[in-house]
Each structure stands twice: as structure tokens, then as C-alpha cells.
């Protein structure tokens, strides 16, 4: 009986003790309650271990420091987390840029070596290190102060680490023990390598663990680090990495301009590299660097970041796309290409400027035609509109000292004007499209006028040649008419066997580029002809087929290779 009474008394004492600890309602002997309280204690500990002082107090301490006031010990602790903070009253300057910053650091270091530096103060200094924004503080003094802060953290981290000991430590201490290179002179190499390999986890993880903001130098250095690694690769490897680099830039747009500059300059150095459509489409977006044609108008100022040859390279990509879009999308609607795309492609390398001029019908189509809508969006800020001819579009291009105007629909002729004697302003927002502006050459007010009748290509080539404009290379002859001796088409027709006159491998490769187009070879099976069908009737494919000697059959709505 005495044993039972003793147990009851002990149980009551334990229950009272547990109750006094705030763990009521539980049953003695169950560890979940203890684990819950331990987890809550750990959470509170981690919160206190990286607590930041009141922002207003820290700001006030930073302002006092920049005004030359002496700081008391409490203010020195407060200012630690505000070293990179722009101070409005000091015209946006920060403590890092102050000539007295080195003396402040020396005070912190002396305390750290004596073991008197508060761990939360050191954590505040670490936070300031990561919060430095190179775009907000571009002056040399701020950069020097940030570098001095990094060196201080690297020197004093072993002291802080040793003082933390082997027991329970704050999360940020555990992270720095694993990632101590983030305080080194090459703090982002590890993360840049991973990002370039497509692994974003290491950088995202350390940023979350250490509270690195999106505006931090860390991301700026990591983006440029990945790009520098890519630009150091061979031409082929660098070009292979471009999609990944653009993805990186898009994910960290705050550092976009520096990144784009590096990528474009390196691409210009690639030997024989063709136009990169993805790079072109990214950089000319209205939200990125805009159309390079707008540089002269003072609108796309970002293009001033790169040398003129680099700007010219991208301008050439845009001009080439405009040329193809005009004939492949706009002129093709009226079946009015007449081999013009193939013809002007012979002069593509000499085209230094282009401009699209849309008629009212084309502008109306953008509401339900995705292709037209994308075209107009790409030319935002650069295109003009026609007011008098609803169903006609125009294309301007400059070659040497001449400005050339092509229209999307016959019977409009092509006009060649001297660029310094134009009967209209080349940057007007609206044109009538008639003889009072773009077609003023109808009355002879032009250097040359080309009417698109049979054999126009040769007449146009002769007139351009008389003006000093000749094809880019001797091999760019695909636009010559079929009646001219020596043309590709006559070579096909004069060959003793049609089956061997066309390289079928090359023809299949060409047709495969146009979705939906097909080849039907009936030679030798009673039909006697080689046919190519394109339900979309694309002007670019038509130009290529014409250059190979194919003719259009209206009845069949297809292209055929004539018999001998």
C-alpha cells in the first residue's frame, strides 16, 4: 500500500512539473511533446540567430556615419546590416563608399580577434556583402569598399566558425561551412559551372539559405561567369550553348544588358557563323534592346554598348528577315513575288537598312492572323503605314547610296532613289504610297524604275550595275530568268536526261524545309514529269524552284520540271 501511495505522489509531482513547463494535456512518457517543444525552440533559435535590426534604426546609423558623426557601440552593431543601403540624404551613396569605411572595418576586426564581436553583427556584415547591387553603386569607391568587406569576411570567418563550436549553430553557419568559397576571390565559379551545365539547384539553394536578394552582385557575377565560360569555348560549343545562355539571361533580367553585350560580341567573332534566329529574336524584342534599326533614331540606345560591326551584324539579320517576310508573307498573299525574293537575296549583304510599310488590309489582319501579328510586333516602332492603298504593302531597303522601294502587288513598279535626294522622308510614320511620295519615280524622279514583266531580272540587274550595285558574290545567280543562256534553268532543260538534271537529294532537302510540301516523281511511269506541290504556295519555295527551272501549272496548282 505504501508503495502505491509513493508512486501516486511521485506521479503527481511529475505532472505538476510538466504542467508548469507549459506542456499540459499530454501523457507522461510520450516523446512527441518533447520533440514539438524542441523543434519550436530550434525555430526560435534560428530566427534569433539571423535577426536583423530595425530598418529605420540601421538607416539612421548609416546616415549618421556618412555625415561624419561618431558612432556608439550600439550604432556600430546597427550599421553592420546597412553598409550597402543607398542613403537618400547622401545622394544615394552608401557606407561602403565612405573614405572612413576601412576604419570601421578595422574596429569590427579588432573586436572579432578579441572574441567580442557579436555574432549577429557579423551576420549583418555578411548580409550587407550579399545585398550590394553593382548597378546601384557603380562608382569605384563603392566597389573598393565591397571588396574590402569581402576580404574582411574571409579573414574573420575562421574566428566566427571556431567561436560557434561543434554544438547547435545557426543555419547560415552550417551553410558557410559547406560553401566557404563564396567568400573567396572567385565566389561564383562553382555555381556558374553548374548553371552552364543546366543545374540551377546549387545557386538557388545557397541563395535561399543565405538570403541573397535578386539584385545582389551574386547573380550578376554568376550570369557573367557562366557567359564568360561559354565565350571561352570553341565557336561550335559556344553556339550550342546560346539557348542555355538566353534562358539564364531571361531568368535574371536585372543583368541582361551586360550579358547580351558579351554574347553578341563573341558571336561576331565566330568564323562563318550564320544568323542565329533565336538570338536575333530575343535581342530585338521591344523589352530587350529593340530593333537595331531604331539606333539612329535615338530610341534603341542599348545598341551603343557594342561596336558598330556587331550592331551591323544583327542589323543584317533583321534586314534578311524583313526581306523574306515581305515577299514570303506579304507579297505572297497576292502571288506577286515574281522571283523578287531570289533576286534581292543576291544583294543581301549590301542591304544596310530596311523598313516595312503596311497597308490597311495588313494592319487589319493582325487581329486574327498570327503570322501577320508577329511580323508587326517584331517591327514595333520601326514600321510605317500606307494611307491611300489599302491592299498594298511596301518595302524599303538601302544599298549603298540608293534607297529602293518594292511594292507587294502589281502593277506597282520598283523605284530606285538616290538616298540624299528622296522625294519623301524615310522615317515618316505614314505614306500615301502614290506618286506624291513612294511612287514619285513614276514621273521619272528616280535613279531607276523596274517594271516586273518577263525578263525583268536581267533588266533590273543591268540598271543596278550601271549604278554600281552588283550581286554579293558570283554564285548568287539564282534569280536569273529561264530564257537566259547559262542560267540554272536552261542548264536543266538542255541536259540530255531530266532525271539527272536535278539533284534529287538537294531537292528533297529543300522541300523538307517547307511543312506540307511534297515531291511526286512520275518520270518514266507515263506522266513524264517531276512535280512539287505546296498547298501554302510559299514565295520562298517558289523562288527556289524557279531557279531550278520548275514552272507553275495553274491547272494543277503545282510546280513541274519541263520536258526536254
Amino acid at each position: 500500500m505504501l508503495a502505491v501511495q509513493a508512486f501516486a505522489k511521485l506521479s503527481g509531482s511529475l505532472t505538476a512539473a510538466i504542467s508548469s513547463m507549459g506542456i499540459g494535456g499530454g501523457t507522461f512518457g510520450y516523446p512527441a511533446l518533447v520533440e514539438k517543444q524542441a523543434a519550436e525552440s530550434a525555430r526560435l533559435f534560428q530566427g534569433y540567430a539571423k535577426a536583423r535590426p530595425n530598418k529605420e534604426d540601421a538607416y539612421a546609423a548609416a546616415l549618421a556615419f556618412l555625415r561624419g558623426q561618431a558612432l556608439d557601440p550600439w550604432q556600430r552593431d546597427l550599421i553592420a546590416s546597412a553598409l550597402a543601403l543607398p542613403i537618400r540624404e547622401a545622394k544615394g551613396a552608401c557606407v561602403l563608399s565612405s573614405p572612413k569605411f576601412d576604419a570601421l572595418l578595422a574596429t569590427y576586426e579588432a573586436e572579432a580577434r578579441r572574441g567580442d564581436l557579436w555574432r549577429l553583427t557579423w551576420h549583418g556584415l555578411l548580409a550587407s556583402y550579399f545585398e550590394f547591387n553593382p548597378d546601384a553603386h557603380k562608382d569605384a569607391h563603392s566597389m573598393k569598399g565591397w571588396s574590402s568587406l569581402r576580404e574582411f569576411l574571409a579573414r574573420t570567418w575562421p574566428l566566427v566558425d571556431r567561436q560557434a563550436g561543434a554544438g547547435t549553430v545557426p543555419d547560415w553557419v552550417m551553410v558557410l561551412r559547406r560553401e566557404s568559397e563564396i567568400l573567396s576571390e572567385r565566389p561564383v565559379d562553382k555555381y556558374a559551372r553548374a548553371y552552364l551545365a543546366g543545374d540551377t539547384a546549387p545557386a538557388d539553394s545557397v541563395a535561399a539559405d543565405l538570403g541573397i536578394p535578386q539584385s545582389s552582385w551574386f547573380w550578376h557575377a554568376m550570369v557573367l561567369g557562366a557567359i564568360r565560360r561559354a565565350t571561352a569555348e570553341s565557336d561550335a560549343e559556344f553556339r550550342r550553348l546560346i539557348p542555355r545562355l538566353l534562358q539564364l539571361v531571361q531568368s535574371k533580367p536585372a543583368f541582361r544588358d551586360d550579358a547580351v553585350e558579351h554574347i553578341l560580341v563573341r558571336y561576331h567573332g565566330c568564323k562563318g557563323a550564320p544568323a542565329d534566329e533565336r538570338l536575333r529574336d530575343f535581342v530585338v524584342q521591344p523589352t530587350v534592346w529593340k530593333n537595331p534599326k531604331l539606333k539612329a533614331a535615338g530610341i534603341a540606345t542599348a545598341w551603343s554598348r557594342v561596336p558598330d560591326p556587331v550592331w551591323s551584324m544583327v542589323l543584317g539579320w533583321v534586314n534578311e528577315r524583313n526581306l523574306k517576310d515581305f515577299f514570303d508573307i506579304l507579297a505572297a498573299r497576292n502571288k506577286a513575288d515574281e522571283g523578287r525574293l531570289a533576286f534581292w537575296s543576291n544583294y543581301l549583304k549590301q542591304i544596310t537598312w530596311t523598313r516595312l510599310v503596311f497597308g490597311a488590309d495588313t494592319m487589319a489582319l493582325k487581329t486574327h492572323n498570327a503570322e501577320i501579328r508577329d511580323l508587326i510586333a517584331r517591327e514595333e516602332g520601326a514600321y510605317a503605314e500606307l494611307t491611300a492603298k489599302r491592299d498594298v504593302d511596301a518595302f524599303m531597303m538601302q544599298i549603298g547610296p540608293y534607297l529602293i522601294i518594292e511594292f507587294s502587288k502589281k502593277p506597282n513598279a520598283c523605284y530606285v532613289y538616290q538616298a540624299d535626294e528622296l522625294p519623301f522622308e524615310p522615317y515618316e510614320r505614314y505614306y500615301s504610297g502614290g506618286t506624291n511620295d513612294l511612287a514619285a519615280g513614276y514621273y521619272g524622279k528616280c535613279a531607276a524604275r523596274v517594271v516586273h514583266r518577263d525578263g525583268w531580272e536581267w533588266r533590273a540587274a543591268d540598271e543596278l550595275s550601271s549604278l554600281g550595285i552588283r550581286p554579293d558574290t558570283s554564285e548568287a545567280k539564282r534569280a536569273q530568268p529561264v530564257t537566259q543562256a547559262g542560267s540554272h534553268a536552261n542548264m536543266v532543260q538542255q541536259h540530255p536526261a531530266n532525271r539527272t538534271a536535278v539533284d534529287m537529294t538537294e531537292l528533297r532537302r529543300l522541300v523538307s524545309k517547307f511543312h506540307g510540301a511534297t515531291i511526286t516523281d512520275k518520270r518514266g511511269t507515263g506522266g513524264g514529269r517531276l512535280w512539287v506541290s505546296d498547298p501554302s504556295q510559299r514565295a520562298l519555295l517558289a523562288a527556289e524552284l524557279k531557279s531550278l527551272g520548275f514552272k507553275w501549272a495553274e491547272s494543277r496548282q503545282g510546280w513541274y520540271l519541263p520536258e526536254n
Side-chain angles (χ1 to χ4, degrees), residues 25 49 119 163 309 334 359 455 543 545:
R119 192 162 63 189
Q163 187 179 21
N334 300 303
L545 292 172

Side-chain angles (χ1 to χ4, degrees), residues 1-194:
M1 177 64 70
L2 290 174
V4 173
Q5 290 175 344
F7 178 79
K9 183 177 179 180
L10 178 60
S11 178
S13 299
L14 286 172
T15 300
I18 292 171
S19 178
S20 68
M21 295 171 62
I23 315 177
T27 303
F28 176 68
Y30 283 82
L33 295 173
V34 177
E35 291 172 358
K36 179 180 178 182
Q37 291 302 312
E40 179 64 16
S41 298
R43 186 187 66 79
L44 290 172
F45 170 75
Q46 294 298 344
Y48 287 128
K50 54 185 178 183
R52 303 286 294 275
N54 180 277
K55 288 184 178 180
E56 288 75 13
D57 292 341
Y59 185 95
L63 176 59
F65 179 81
L66 289 178
R67 285 177 171 174
Q69 300 174 13
L71 301 182
D72 60 34
W74 178 240
Q75 286 176 310
R76 282 202 305 274
D77 288 327
L78 289 174
I79 201 176
S81 62
L83 301 181
L85 194 65
I87 305 301
R88 295 185 300 275
E89 294 84 348
K91 298 181 180 179
C94 63
V95 173
L96 291 173
S97 65
S98 171
K100 297 181 179 180
F101 177 63
D102 285 341
L104 178 63
L105 273 186
T107 301
Y108 288 132
E109 186 157 1
E111 292 179 357
R113 295 195 179 282
R114 292 195 307 266
D116 296 336
L117 185 64
W118 195 18
R119 192 162 63 189
L120 275 179
T121 301
W122 197 92
H123 180 261
L125 294 166
L126 180 69
S128 289
Y129 170 64
F130 286 121
E131 287 175 358
F132 179 72
N133 181 351
D135 280 345
H137 305 291
K138 296 181 179 180
D139 61 288
H141 295 298
S142 295
M143 293 298 296
K144 179 179 179 298
W146 174 82
S147 181
S148 296
L149 176 59
R150 181 194 60 75
E151 293 168 358
F152 161 84
L153 292 170
R155 286 195 304 271
T156 56
W157 161 242
L159 303 175
V160 174
D161 184 23
R162 186 164 57 249
Q163 187 179 21
T168 301
V169 296
D171 289 342
W172 59 265
V173 172
M174 295 297 294
V175 173
L176 283 181
R177 285 174 174 174
R178 296 194 313 267
E179 311 283 342
S180 59
E181 67 269 27
I182 206 165
L183 301 177
S184 71
E185 292 183 357
R186 304 176 69 89
V188 299
D189 281 6
K190 168 183 176 179
Y191 312 105
R193 283 195 303 271

Side-chain angles (χ1 to χ4, degrees), residues 401-473:
Y402 296 97
L403 189 67
I404 302 166
I405 309 292
E406 276 276 20
F407 291 91
S408 63
K409 187 177 180 182
K410 294 194 323 184
N412 296 281
C414 168
Y415 299 100
V416 182
Y417 300 99
Q418 280 196 242
D420 58 354
E421 297 180 7
L422 293 174
F424 53 85
E425 288 295 326
Y427 289 100
E428 287 287 349
R429 185 70 175 82
Y430 297 96
Y431 300 99
S432 72
T435 54
N436 61 320
D437 47 41
L438 301 187
Y442 182 80
Y443 293 116
K445 300 177 182 179
C446 61
R449 177 171 176 262
V450 178
V451 180
H452 303 102
R453 299 193 185 100
D454 288 343
W456 71 268
E457 296 100 320
W458 286 104
R459 293 192 298 273
D462 287 343
E463 291 204 56
L464 291 176
S465 181
S466 69
L467 298 175
I469 303 174
R470 296 176 179 82
D472 296 331
T473 62

